[in-house]
Amino acid sequence: MGFKKGEDRYQVRLLPPAIEDYVPQNDEVRVIDAFVDKLTGIKFQYSDFAGRGNQPYDPKDMLKIYIYCYLKGIRSSRKIEKECESNLKLIWLINGLTPDDKTICDFRKNNKEQLYQVLKEFTTICKNAKLFAAELVAIDGSKFEASCAKNKIFTRDKLKHRIESIDYHISNYLNQIEKNDILEMQQERLTKEEIENIISNLQEKRAKYQELSEELEKTDDKQISFTDSDCRLMKKRNGKCNPCYNVQVASDSKYNMIVDFEVTNHTNDTQELSNMAIKAKEELGVDELKVVADSGYENRVEFDTCIENNIIPIVDIKSTEQGNGYFPKDKFVYDTERDLYICPAKREMYCVGQEIHKKGKKKLRHKIYKEKYRCKDCELRKECFNNQNGSRRILRWEKEGIVDKMKTKESREELRKRKGIIEPVFGVVKRCFGFEYVLTRGFGGVKAEFSLAFLAYNLKRAINILGVNQLINLITG
């Protein structure tokens, strides 16, 4: 049986194909070409040779390279350099240019904020194409490993331990010199000069650790890094602690398109809800917006800030007062009309005072509810609280109605949509694009990387929804 064979690679053609013939008319690379060519108003930086050597590459060509390669999951500047030499579609896109890896790397390094502006420009195109419903947005965060070794990050306790350990070794070496223990020096094969050099090196390390410790004491941070000063040790799903960045994303409910994102070094999500919700609302240009998030975003201060900005937060409320085997707050029913709670024993708990809890710059006022007879002779007393002489009390935030609405049937229905809106974003970026760690360092560099990754994601979504030709018409029209 014969097999299908290709053309003879040594056959000389009278009319060789043009570069234009390399790429089909409906290929996604044509969208990248049309989009970048249409960009205006963004001032890119490029290598200035001051009249020496070759002319610089057009920043738009460099941007085309990055968008295409991130779309294909290629991020290393050296791998991108190889693609420019061998990938026919990339050769078509940049007209056969072959920049070296340093030139490619420098473009990303020198255009951090500009790359974020490019993402915003494409978001505007998607808004004009009605790809955002602009009614419901899901917010979530994911941890991406930083370009930093774990042993290069120090906490206060770790620095203290290192300094104490160095002091101990210095003391031993000094005692060794003072006692002139010849036998021990012969066993270790160390001369007096060698020991003094070791002590000098240890003292230099101690001075460096002491400087870091003093710098850490002046800030509110609990960690400091030698390599990347912005990353932090974070616990991941596998239970391991690694240097990471916490990347927050807001995704629209209509087509799972990314509205906006933020790179943080917070180890959890409790302070991120209002910031991301406000950014999403401003980006979408709406007067009111609903946001859904998981239980990691539960924070009364954040809820209050959202309401002040005409944003309706819907968070999966998990935490309850008391617990530990006793009746949680959910078991106490609030009567709105009478302003009291009904406990599991069907007794009424009235407001007896107020407390003010200070959270950062905000003050949250809470009402205190207790049973009239201090829970005496209650058959459920042992199941309710562990204070022998006191009584169970319930705290109610003055705007607790916000939280109560999150527990309604309608809100639970909205929460069920959360996973389908936001989880695919991280799934595609991590699995399809291979983006599980960052190559750059510092907030600026990491933000530039995610600007490219999320641009590639939104570009892919728009092509799948609209098709290549329709999207090109929207861009060029």
Side-chain angles (χ1 to χ4, degrees):
M1 182 181 70
F3 296 98
K4 184 183 287 189
K5 295 183 178 181
E7 296 182 17
D8 185 353
R9 64 173 65 115
Y10 298 105
Q11 177 65 47
V12 178
R13 292 185 178 185
L14 180 62
L15 296 172
I19 295 179
E20 175 65 21
D21 298 332
Y22 291 169
V23 179
Q25 290 299 316
N26 63 344
D27 196 282
E28 59 192 11
V29 75
R30 292 186 180 274
V31 177
I32 299 172
D33 188 55
F35 168 62
V36 176
D37 285 344
K38 199 69 176 177
L39 285 175
T40 57
I42 301 177
K43 296 181 179 179
F44 292 99
Q45 301 293 322
Y46 56 87
S47 300
D48 187 1
F49 297 98
R52 302 185 302 274
N54 292 327
Q55 293 177 317
Y57 288 97
D58 187 338
K60 286 190 174 183
D61 286 330
M62 303 303 296
L63 179 59
K64 290 176 183 179
I65 293 171
Y66 265 111
I67 296 175
Y68 177 82
C69 288
Y70 268 71
L71 194 62
K72 300 302 178 184
I74 304 166
R75 297 186 292 140
S76 164
S77 57
R78 287 181 173 82
K79 289 182 179 179
I80 292 174
E81 179 187 10
K82 298 296 183 184
E83 288 294 310
C84 291
E85 298 170 355
S86 59
N87 190 308
L88 293 180
K89 292 181 181 180
L90 200 49
I91 291 171
W92 175 90
L93 186 60
I94 56 174
N95 300 313
L97 294 173
T98 54
D100 61 21
D101 64 287
K102 186 179 185 306
T103 303
I104 295 167
C105 185
D106 284 346
F107 177 78
R108 183 172 54 191
K109 181 178 70 175
N110 297 332
N111 293 279
K112 297 171 183 176
E113 188 57 37
Q114 289 88 334
L115 291 174
Y116 179 65
Q117 292 174 25
V118 172
L119 172 63
K120 303 282 272 189
E121 287 288 333
F122 190 74
T123 303
T124 302
I125 292 171
C126 293
K127 284 192 292 184
N128 295 336
K130 308 297 182 185
L131 297 182
F132 294 103
E135 295 174 355
L136 177 66
V137 165
I139 294 173
D140 202 1
S142 187
K143 297 178 177 69
F144 292 80
E145 290 193 23
S147 176
C148 176
K150 188 176 179 179
N151 61 0
K152 294 296 183 181
I153 294 184
F154 295 89
T155 61
R156 289 183 173 90
D157 290 340
K158 189 174 180 180
L159 285 169
K160 182 181 178 182
H161 174 74
R162 290 284 180 94
I163 291 171
E164 289 175 351
S165 176
I166 288 174
D167 287 340
Y168 173 78
H169 284 92
I170 289 175
S171 176
N172 282 348
Y173 281 120
L174 288 173
N175 289 335
Q176 186 174 331
I177 292 175
E178 290 174 2
K179 292 177 181 179
N180 197 20
D181 194 338
I182 299 173
L183 178 62
E184 187 175 348
M185 289 174 68
Q186 286 177 344
Q187 289 175 347
E188 295 185 7
R189 298 177 183 178
L190 294 174
T191 64
K192 181 178 179 180
E193 290 74 17
E194 288 174 334
I195 294 175
E196 287 176 345
N197 286 335
I198 293 172
I199 292 174
S200 177
N201 292 331
L202 288 172
Q203 287 173 337
E204 286 180 10
K205 282 187 178 180
R206 189 192 188 285
K208 188 181 293 185
Y209 291 144
Q210 186 64 42
E211 184 181 348
L212 284 174
S213 181
E214 291 172 0
E215 186 178 338
L216 198 55
E217 289 295 334
K218 294 176 184 177
T219 66
D220 296 330
D221 288 332
K222 297 179 180 179
Q223 305 175 26
I224 195 167
S225 170
F226 271 141
T227 309
D228 184 348
S229 60
D230 292 331
C231 71
R232 295 290 181 268
L233 284 174
M234 299 182 191
K235 193 172 184 179
K236 301 188 74 177
R237 286 185 178 273
N238 58 11
K240 296 180 180 180
C241 282
N242 290 309
C244 292
Y245 282 95
N246 183 356
V247 181
Q248 299 290 316
V249 175
S251 177
D252 187 77
S253 60
K254 189 175 183 180
Y255 291 120
N256 301 354
M257 300 283 284
I258 296 171
V259 180
D260 211 337
F261 78 98
E262 187 66 67
V263 177
T264 77
N265 59 9
H266 299 150
T267 55
N268 56 51
D269 300 329
T270 55
Q271 303 173 41
E272 309 300 335
L273 183 66
S274 63
N275 177 48
M276 284 307 303
I278 291 169
K279 288 187 71 172
K281 180 172 173 282
E282 290 175 351
E283 182 62 37
L284 293 171
V286 293
D287 297 327
E288 185 180 277
L289 185 67
K290 283 184 182 179
V291 295
V292 291
D294 61 29
S295 57
Y297 290 84
E298 184 179 349
N299 184 333
R300 266 52 173 179
V301 175
E302 294 293 303
F303 297 163
D304 193 28
T305 306
C306 285
I307 294 299
E308 289 174 357
N309 288 274
N310 212 22
I311 296 167
I312 303 170
I314 304 174
V315 175
D316 189 10
I317 304 295
K318 294 291 185 185
S319 62
T320 56
E321 293 178 12
Q322 199 70 30
N324 297 325
Y326 299 102
F327 290 128
K329 185 179 176 180
D330 293 344
K331 296 294 183 181
F332 295 76
V333 180
Y334 180 68
D335 188 327
T336 308
E337 294 181 0
R338 300 166 63 195
D339 188 25
L340 56 82
Y341 275 94
I342 307 296
C343 76
K346 306 303 180 184
R347 297 189 179 190
E348 296 179 347
M349 302 175 70
Y350 298 92
C351 178
V352 296
Q354 293 184 348
E355 284 183 0
I356 295 177
H357 298 176
K358 191 173 182 181
K359 300 280 184 75
K361 296 181 180 179
K362 286 202 170 189
K363 294 181 179 179
L364 303 183
R365 191 182 301 276
H366 292 74
K367 288 183 177 181
I368 305 169
Y369 293 82
K370 289 186 178 182
E371 202 269 333
K372 186 175 181 180
Y373 299 103
R374 300 177 61 82
C375 303
K376 291 180 179 178
D377 304 322
C378 178
E379 64 276 11
L380 301 178
R381 183 185 181 93
K382 291 183 179 180
E383 299 175 53
C384 194
F385 65 101
N386 57 4
N387 192 331
Q388 294 290 329
N389 301 316
S391 62
R392 177 68 184 268
R393 73 174 197 165
I394 297 293
L395 291 179
R396 182 177 178 82
W397 176 37
E398 62 180 348
K399 297 181 182 179
E400 192 76 12
I402 300 171
V403 180
D404 291 339
K405 287 180 181 178
M406 296 179 191
K407 300 175 183 178
T408 62
K409 184 179 179 180
E410 292 78 9
S411 294
R412 303 305 298 179
E413 288 295 328
E414 298 284 20
L415 272 172
R416 288 190 185 96
K417 300 175 185 176
R418 185 195 67 82
K419 286 186 178 180
I421 299 170
I422 191 66
E423 298 294 347
V425 174
F426 292 115
V428 171
V429 170
K430 287 186 174 183
R431 298 304 179 193
C432 298
F433 294 168
F435 202 135
E436 296 191 7
Y437 57 90
V438 298
L439 301 176
T440 55
R441 293 171 181 168
F443 282 129
V446 174
K447 187 176 181 179
E449 274 204 80
F450 279 102
S451 295
L452 288 165
F454 292 147
L455 172 60
Y457 172 87
N458 274 358
L459 186 67
K460 191 75 172 176
R461 292 292 299 143
I463 291 171
N464 290 341
I465 296 162
L466 300 174
V468 170
N469 295 327
Q470 187 178 346
L471 186 54
I472 290 175
N473 291 336
L474 284 166
I475 291 169
T476 56

